[in-house]
Amino acid sequence: MAESAIDLTEINEGKRKLEVSMHAAQAADRAKSYFLAVGPQQEPDVPAGAFAGVAGVGEI
């Protein structure tokens, strides 16, 4: 008689990771939907030069 032992640990771990990923994706989708529904309320109070400084534009 041939024994067929299946280690369910890897299968259960894979299911758990998939479930965690699915919840994260759903949360991101809800956040995106909320942002698109509400939209930005005002322009950011950041001068354009600040973006250039963070991006390293103009550095030699």
Side-chain angles (χ1 to χ4, degrees):
M1 176 177 201
E3 291 184 38
S4 61
I6 299 174
D7 184 13
L8 296 178
T9 305
E10 289 184 26
I11 293 172
N12 289 336
E13 182 66 18
K15 286 181 181 179
R16 189 190 70 75
K17 286 181 180 179
L18 181 61
E19 189 173 297
V20 168
S21 296
M22 181 65 107
H23 286 296
Q26 289 171 342
D29 187 52
R30 285 191 301 273
K32 180 193 70 166
S33 295
Y34 176 78
F35 175 78
L36 292 176
V38 173
Q41 300 299 316
Q42 63 186 25
E43 293 295 319
D45 292 334
V46 179
F51 291 115
V54 171
V57 176
E59 290 183 18
I60 297 176

